[in-house]
Amino acid sequence: MSDPIKHECGIAHLRLRKPLQYYIDKYNTPLYGANKLLLLMKKMQNRGQDGAGIANIKLGLEPGYRYISRYRSIDANSLQKIFDKVAKKFNKALKEGGKEKFLNEEWLKKNYGFTGEVWLGHLRYGTHGKNSIESCHPFLRQNNWRSRNLVVAGNFNMTNVDELFDILISLGQNPKEKTDTVTVMEKIGHFLDEENQEIFDKHKFKLSNKDITRKIEEELSMINILKKSCKDFDGGYTMAGMVGHGASFVARDPAGIRPAYYYADEEVVIVASEKPAIKTATNCAYDEIKEITPGHALIINQDGSFMEEQFIDILPKKSCSFERIYFSRSSDPDIYRERKKLGELLVPKVLESVNFDLKNTIFSFIPNSAETAFLGLMSGLDEYLVAKRKEIILEGKPHSGDLEDVLSFRPRVEKMVIKDAKLRTFIADDSSRDELVANVYDTTYEVVNKGIDNLVIIDDSIVRGTTLEKSILTLLDRLEPKKIVIVSSAPQIRFPDCYGIDMSKMKDFVAFRAVLELLEENNKSYMLDEVLAKCEESVGNPDAPNHVQELYEPFTADEVSAKITDIVRPKGMKAELEVIFQSVDNLHKACPDHKGDWYFTGNFPTIGGNRVVNKSFVNFMKGVTVRAY
């Protein structure tokens, strides 16, 4: 992506279904669980580089010993640093206890952390707020009763944090922060406490307190807790939690916005945000990896048994299409096919843009996430050329050049855009951003026929257009092509995201800026005030629609694209320029099972989404620069 954005976090949950000694005996190491979790998280490091954290719970440990371990880090290469610390613990154990004790479950559990059977890992992108150690998951809610301890990590954003915060206050709590992570954990924690108390009250006149503790751990219903605590949540989420006695859960939002997959065999249950991570960690067949059903939670009991159970009313499935376009690794076979299809479906627009002059057109992509869509574009061009050859050879249609030229012609492919420095431009202050952006990319020289060749460059999406304007187009124009065509495999990003992506302010979107200019040019700027009034009137109305959609209605997608082309065109650029976007219809053709498209269409899957976009527009009109949720 030429406009870097922070995005989805990653979660990894691992439950060893047998005692630790089983894995020590079979694999000759007590590090089986740690190694699996490290591999899971390494394969999802694309999902979070601002911080990482892991937690571990030991099962069946007698009182007097610590049974919960946790490490978090926001250092550079935080994931490796965390597991280096774990490795040091095990190296110390080997040195202190020798081989015999090192391979003894009882000794290890009593003396060293991270020797338990229940693991939770988290990779963080800080979409908003400070990147402090306190912001890193997993979060821990401690108590002296095992079944009241709660560890939570998630990939989520809630649209109604204020409402959830007020609910906590009404329950008598005094939360220390107004963040979605804290409010989610405290709400679940409240009903975990309540469930504990209900079971205690049921047995308090029949059993001793010690026996009641065992009963609580046996009878505790995670699904009841989730049903009570999640009923007010509005957002996209995959939440993973572990309770101190060893039960755990992974809950997915009712629209399936955020991803979650799992695999289970007789030794492990594994949950991750992406399928390739599970495939690599287990070498299982892809069809053995299951998707957690939206509105359901995978519950893993203290004894290692598991089941999927519904905890909330299910909404129409709107899983995030940006996962398919950009976020998730393309080593997932389904995502790979979908991204290739996105590129293939762009062929007609690209051919029209270069006036079908393939002989004088060079094709390339903006590294690296657009590479798969680029392969699809080239595959689609190959199919087009095959069809043309059939027309010439089989149907005798006229053509220029000799037949050998027709048969041997291949589209010209070159590496034109090179990422020259790993600069995190999206965390720079505005005054420094332009200078940083201008130096992120470099280009390949002396392959363009000056004034003759077209350059077609595919990107996976265009958010702000900053990098195009300040760096890429300026670089490419120095090569003196006849025309530059920038192709986005995603549709125009028109609306803020409120479910986990760092796209929350209207003014950031080049498509929105284009519409503002179109409104002014067409004497329709009065619509801004009309929509502002509607957005302000909608406050407190849970059924209010997305009023901001009205601003786009007077204009076609092509008109918006043309204006975006004007906006991103650098001053003094000599080459012709055209910016092409994927259509929403083609997006759905390429990704038929993942129809979450609210950032393109404004069709938000929850009522909180409409509330956020309306508030975001009000903020824009009033010059307020904070996010709208």
Side-chain angles (χ1 to χ4, degrees):
M1 180 180 284
S2 58
D3 290 328
I5 57 172
K6 301 179 184 182
H7 53 86
E8 328 299 0
C9 298
I11 60 165
H13 180 40
L14 171 67
R15 169 61 195 266
L16 304 183
R17 302 186 71 193
K18 296 181 182 296
L20 180 62
Q21 194 64 50
Y22 168 90
Y23 305 91
I24 293 174
D25 294 341
K26 182 172 180 178
Y27 300 103
N28 199 36
T29 176
L31 283 159
Y32 178 84
N35 288 337
K36 287 290 185 190
L37 188 71
L38 173 59
L39 190 54
L40 283 168
M41 296 178 74
K42 276 283 188 183
K43 291 299 178 181
M44 295 191 294
Q45 204 160 2
N46 56 298
R47 303 187 71 85
Q49 296 168 23
D50 288 336
I54 64 172
N56 178 253
I57 292 178
K58 304 172 188 178
L59 298 179
L61 198 61
E62 62 189 78
Y65 297 92
R66 295 188 65 172
Y67 55 93
I68 300 178
S69 307
R70 179 179 63 153
Y71 280 156
R72 298 178 295 172
S73 174
I74 58 170
D75 295 337
N77 201 12
S78 55
L79 181 61
Q80 193 60 52
K81 288 191 175 182
I82 285 172
F83 279 93
D84 284 347
K85 288 178 70 174
V86 174
K88 284 180 182 178
K89 278 186 174 290
F90 281 94
N91 289 335
K92 183 179 178 183
L94 179 59
K95 184 177 180 179
E96 181 181 290
K99 189 76 170 178
E100 182 178 349
K101 288 184 176 178
F102 183 71
L103 298 178
N104 180 274
E105 172 186 357
E106 184 178 359
W107 182 82
L108 280 172
K109 281 190 169 183
K110 287 182 176 179
N111 290 280
Y112 287 93
F114 297 100
T115 53
E117 296 86 348
V118 195
W119 293 82
L120 181 58
H122 186 266
L123 294 152
R124 179 176 186 268
Y125 260 123
T127 55
H128 297 279
K130 297 177 181 178
N131 191 34
S132 64
I133 192 70
E134 289 80 14
S135 301
C136 269
H137 304 208
F139 281 62
L140 175 59
R141 190 177 193 264
Q142 293 181 289
N143 196 284
N144 214 30
W145 276 261
R146 277 196 313 196
S147 57
R148 289 177 183 251
N149 283 277
L150 178 64
V151 185
V152 171
N155 168 16
F156 58 79
N157 265 16
M158 298 298 171
T159 70
N160 60 334
V161 175
D162 290 343
E163 177 187 341
L164 296 175
F165 186 82
D166 291 342
I167 290 172
L168 291 178
I169 293 173
S170 70
L171 292 171
Q173 291 193 20
N174 186 20
K176 61 182 181 180
E177 289 182 59
K178 187 187 275 192
T179 63
D180 49 9
T181 307
V182 170
T183 52
V184 163
M185 182 182 67
E186 292 300 335
K187 199 154 185 285
I188 296 172
H190 170 82
F191 288 105
L192 174 64
D193 289 343
E194 191 175 84
E195 180 85 359
N196 270 265
Q197 190 63 48
E198 287 177 2
I199 299 171
F200 179 87
D201 291 342
K202 184 172 71 173
H203 296 291
K204 65 182 178 181
F205 298 118
K206 306 172 188 175
L207 301 171
S208 69
N209 284 356
K210 187 176 180 180
D211 289 336
I212 292 175
T213 295
R214 285 196 293 270
K215 276 290 185 183
I216 290 172
E217 293 182 358
E218 291 170 5
E219 296 181 11
L220 195 75
S221 172
M222 290 309 309
I223 199 65
N224 284 348
I225 294 166
L226 291 172
K227 284 179 179 178
K228 294 174 183 176
S229 57
C230 299
K231 64 181 181 180
D232 302 309
F233 291 171
D234 187 295
Y237 54 85
T238 293
M239 297 182 297
M242 307 186 296
V243 182
H245 67 290
S248 60
F249 66 88
V250 180
R252 193 175 180 206
D253 68 80
I257 295 169
R258 299 272 68 85
Y261 303 93
Y262 74 96
Y263 164 79
D265 59 25
E266 62 179 12
E267 292 187 351
V268 296
V269 180
I270 291 176
V271 185
S273 297
E274 297 190 26
K275 288 193 288 184
I278 298 175
K279 169 68 175 175
T280 302
T282 64
N283 198 31
C284 64
Y286 258 102
D287 60 8
E288 294 179 291
I289 302 172
K290 311 298 182 186
E291 183 178 7
I292 295 179
T293 307
H296 288 63
L298 182 70
I299 307 292
I300 307 173
N301 298 313
Q302 185 184 30
D303 63 4
S305 60
F306 66 93
M307 75 289 291
E308 266 195 82
E309 292 193 50
Q310 185 176 339
F311 66 92
I312 197 168
D313 291 339
I314 298 172
L315 298 172
K317 188 178 180 185
K318 296 288 184 180
S319 48
C320 175
S321 58
F322 246 124
E323 287 281 355
R324 324 303 291 182
I325 297 167
Y326 171 61
F327 296 141
S328 297
R329 285 177 178 250
S330 61
S331 51
D332 182 314
D334 294 329
I335 289 176
Y336 183 78
R337 285 191 293 268
E338 289 165 9
R339 289 186 186 170
K340 284 193 72 176
K341 191 67 175 178
L342 285 168
E344 179 186 327
L345 290 169
L346 286 162
V347 168
K349 279 190 172 183
V350 169
L351 287 172
E352 184 178 343
S353 181
V354 299
N355 199 26
F356 297 85
D357 182 11
L358 294 181
K359 182 179 179 180
N360 296 309
T361 299
I362 297 172
F363 294 90
S364 192
F365 61 93
I366 296 177
N368 285 321
S369 54
E371 183 175 4
T372 308
F374 173 76
L375 294 175
L377 175 65
M378 301 317 296
S379 177
L381 286 172
D382 284 342
E383 291 181 11
Y384 166 78
L385 289 171
V386 168
K388 286 298 176 184
R389 291 185 188 112
K390 285 181 178 179
E391 290 178 0
I392 292 168
I393 296 169
L394 299 180
E395 300 176 22
K397 288 195 174 181
H399 62 91
S400 59
D402 58 34
L403 189 58
E404 184 175 346
D405 289 338
V406 171
L407 292 173
S408 63
F409 178 78
R410 294 288 184 275
R412 296 165 61 191
V413 174
E414 303 287 354
K415 190 167 185 178
M416 299 305 304
V417 182
I418 304 160
K419 198 158 190 178
D420 197 39
K422 294 182 178 179
L423 295 176
R424 301 282 292 279
T425 59
F426 51 89
I427 62 173
D429 59 89
D430 290 340
S431 62
S432 304
R433 185 189 300 273
D434 288 356
E435 183 179 354
L436 287 171
V437 167
N439 290 281
V440 169
Y441 291 96
D442 204 346
T443 188
T444 304
Y445 297 94
E446 303 303 323
V447 297
V448 174
N449 295 316
K450 297 178 180 180
I452 298 173
D453 286 342
N454 304 305
L455 283 179
V456 175
I457 311 291
I458 189 168
D459 194 355
D460 46 34
S461 57
I462 300 168
V463 186
R464 305 176 186 93
T466 307
T467 310
L468 281 178
E469 179 185 0
K470 303 295 183 182
S471 179
I472 292 172
L473 290 174
T474 299
L475 285 170
L476 295 177
D477 192 48
R478 290 173 187 166
L479 305 178
E480 300 183 40
K482 176 184 176 184
K483 183 177 185 179
I484 299 172
V485 183
I486 301 296
V487 187
S488 170
S489 66
Q492 299 161 2
I493 298 171
R494 299 179 167 195
F495 301 94
D497 181 75
C498 51
Y499 304 120
I501 308 172
D502 183 21
M503 301 191 306
S504 60
K505 299 172 185 174
M506 298 295 300
K507 69 179 181 65
D508 286 345
F509 308 129
V510 68
F512 182 70
R513 290 160 54 201
V515 162
L516 293 179
E517 292 194 15
L518 287 170
L519 289 169
E520 185 174 356
E521 290 171 5
N522 289 274
N523 298 316
K524 292 182 181 293
S525 294
Y526 62 86
M527 291 183 65
L528 295 171
D529 291 326
E530 291 180 352
V531 170
L532 173 62
K534 291 179 181 179
C535 289
E536 289 179 323
E537 289 171 7
S538 70
V539 174
N541 177 10
D543 299 319
N546 173 3
H547 295 295
V548 184
Q549 286 174 309
E550 296 176 26
L551 298 176
Y552 290 91
E553 289 174 0
F555 312 109
T556 67
D558 288 342
E559 287 175 314
V560 177
S561 295
K563 182 52 62 177
I564 290 172
T565 300
D566 292 342
I567 290 173
V568 301
R569 183 183 182 91
K571 291 181 180 179
M573 183 176 179
K574 296 177 182 178
E576 295 178 49
L577 176 65
E578 184 173 6
V579 181
I580 294 173
F581 290 87
Q582 187 73 265
S583 71
V584 173
D585 287 343
N586 279 346
L587 171 69
H588 292 162
K589 287 178 185 176
C591 310
D593 299 321
H594 304 272
K595 298 196 175 172
D597 61 6
W598 53 90
Y599 14 69
F600 310 126
T601 64
N603 298 326
F604 287 86
T606 74
I607 58 173
N610 290 336
R611 182 170 61 245
V612 166
V613 68
N614 289 336
K615 185 176 179 181
S616 181
F617 180 71
V618 172
N619 287 347
F620 164 76
M621 291 293 288
K622 295 188 173 182
V624 178
T625 57
V626 299
R627 66 170 176 164
Y629 58 97

